[in-house]
Amino acid sequence: MLKIEHYTKKYGDKVAVDDLSLHIAPGEIYGFIGHNGAGKTTTLKSCAGILDFESGGIYIDGVSIKDDPIGCKKKMAYIPDNPDLYAYMSGIKYLNFIADIYGVGENERAEKTAKYAEMFALTGDLAQPISSYSHGMKQKLALISALIHSPKLILMDEPFVGLDPIASHRLKETMREICDEGGAIFFSTHVLEVAEKLCDKVAIIKNGKLIASGTMEEVKGNSSLEQVFLELEEEK
């Protein structure tokens, strides 16, 4: 569903991500972990078609993000770590705006909006302007907008930041359901306990270089993910 092949991204002379290759298959929840500045957000933005890159290729369901960015974006959703929503819109107007972009029919959008707004306890706030929303409410609205067109691939940058425990639990359940139905999720997180329990596979990036990847068992062995991560971080 997502194929990253020898991806390299530079900012001037600084190499932010160096020769990264990862494959995320349908049905997989793939965690992406690393310290701040390791290259996680840069990679996710390139996968989403927001950032250009110097070399390598990124393919969504077999299609190059460089050759057909619009076609790729129709198949995916991207949720940044700090959603930048249109503050002057109400929640429901924003969801309808996103549904219009993706050509979601009226019945389907109404059904999805009702389902996910209830799931994330946002139903009573949809008529309010987004400018009145807390960070957690904006995060929930961004999640609903990402799910409304049933994407095959979901890219998420720190999706649990700002969510209350109930919303976090429901998001985890939804992520598993999406992948059980053949979707794929690639997300970054600092919450290693969540990654350990939720992910089928995990990749660890350090200073722009991939230092470990594979199934959770392959990466952590008999240790905890936190222990493995700290040991790899300490290595020169």
Side-chain angles (χ1 to χ4, degrees), residues 15-28:
V15 180
V17 185
D18 188 8
D19 196 32
L20 176 71
S21 293
L22 283 176
H23 297 174
I24 291 99
E28 286 181 347

Side-chain angles (χ1 to χ4, degrees), residues 97-116:
F97 167 66
I98 298 297
D100 284 343
I101 289 173
Y102 285 98
V104 181
E106 285 189 21
N107 291 340
E108 185 183 352
R109 76 173 65 179
E111 183 185 319
K112 290 272 180 64
T113 298
K115 174 185 173 182
Y116 291 120

Side-chain angles (χ1 to χ4, degrees), residues 34-96:
H35 62 278
N36 290 338
K40 303 186 302 297
T41 296
T42 294
T43 301
L44 286 167
K45 283 185 173 179
S46 288
C47 290
I50 296 168
L51 280 180
D52 200 4
F53 48 96
E54 280 67 35
S55 61
I58 295 176
Y59 305 88
I60 313 296
D61 200 19
V63 179
S64 166
I65 190 75
K66 284 196 170 187
D67 293 344
D68 186 9
I70 300 297
C72 287
K73 288 175 184 181
K74 286 178 180 177
K75 299 179 182 182
M76 70 165 129
Y78 168 64
I79 305 168
D81 58 344
N82 190 17
D84 191 12
L85 311 176
Y86 295 116
Y88 64 89
M89 286 185 172
S90 65
I92 190 65
K93 281 187 177 177
Y94 180 75
L95 293 178
N96 281 321

Side-chain angles (χ1 to χ4, degrees), residues 27-232:
E28 286 181 347
I29 299 179
Y30 210 121
F32 197 32
I33 62 178
H35 62 278
N36 290 338
K40 303 186 302 297
T41 296
T42 294
T43 301
L44 286 167
K45 283 185 173 179
S46 288
C47 290
I50 296 168
L51 280 180
D52 200 4
F53 48 96
E54 280 67 35
S55 61
I58 295 176
Y59 305 88
I60 313 296
D61 200 19
V63 179
S64 166
I65 190 75
K66 284 196 170 187
D67 293 344
D68 186 9
I70 300 297
C72 287
K73 288 175 184 181
K74 286 178 180 177
K75 299 179 182 182
M76 70 165 129
Y78 168 64
I79 305 168
D81 58 344
N82 190 17
D84 191 12
L85 311 176
Y86 295 116
Y88 64 89
M89 286 185 172
S90 65
I92 190 65
K93 281 187 177 177
Y94 180 75
L95 293 178
N96 281 321
F97 167 66
I98 298 297
D100 284 343
I101 289 173
Y102 285 98
V104 181
E106 285 189 21
N107 291 340
E108 185 183 352
R109 76 173 65 179
E111 183 185 319
K112 290 272 180 64
T113 298
K115 174 185 173 182
Y116 291 120
E118 183 179 354
M119 180 185 293
F120 292 114
L122 206 62
T123 306
D125 300 295
L126 288 180
Q128 301 303 316
I130 295 171
S131 58
S132 69
Y133 282 21
S134 66
H135 175 75
M137 291 165 71
K138 288 177 182 175
Q139 189 78 0
K140 290 176 182 180
L141 188 68
L143 287 167
I144 297 168
S145 72
L147 297 169
I148 206 163
H149 70 285
S150 304
K152 287 184 170 185
L153 171 69
I154 303 178
L155 307 168
M156 297 191 283
D157 198 356
E158 298 289 346
F160 300 101
V161 173
L163 292 183
D164 56 75
I166 293 173
S168 292
H169 176 69
R170 288 176 177 164
L171 175 57
K172 290 173 208 167
E173 288 183 328
T174 302
M175 289 166 72
R176 187 75 270 168
E177 283 171 15
I178 288 166
C179 290
D180 286 347
E181 292 168 4
I185 293 173
F186 185 41
F187 78 104
S188 72
T189 183
H190 282 111
V191 189
L192 300 184
E193 296 89 345
V194 169
E196 189 163 350
K197 290 176 182 174
L198 186 62
C199 296
D200 302 301
K201 291 184 179 176
V202 66
I204 301 175
I205 187 172
K206 179 180 179 182
N207 298 327
K209 282 187 173 287
L210 185 69
I211 55 172
S213 66
T215 65
M216 192 59 67
E217 290 70 26
E218 287 170 345
V219 171
K220 75 183 186 71
N222 295 322
S223 305
S224 71
L225 184 60
E226 182 177 40
Q227 189 178 345
V228 171
F229 176 71
L230 291 172
E231 285 172 0
L232 289 168

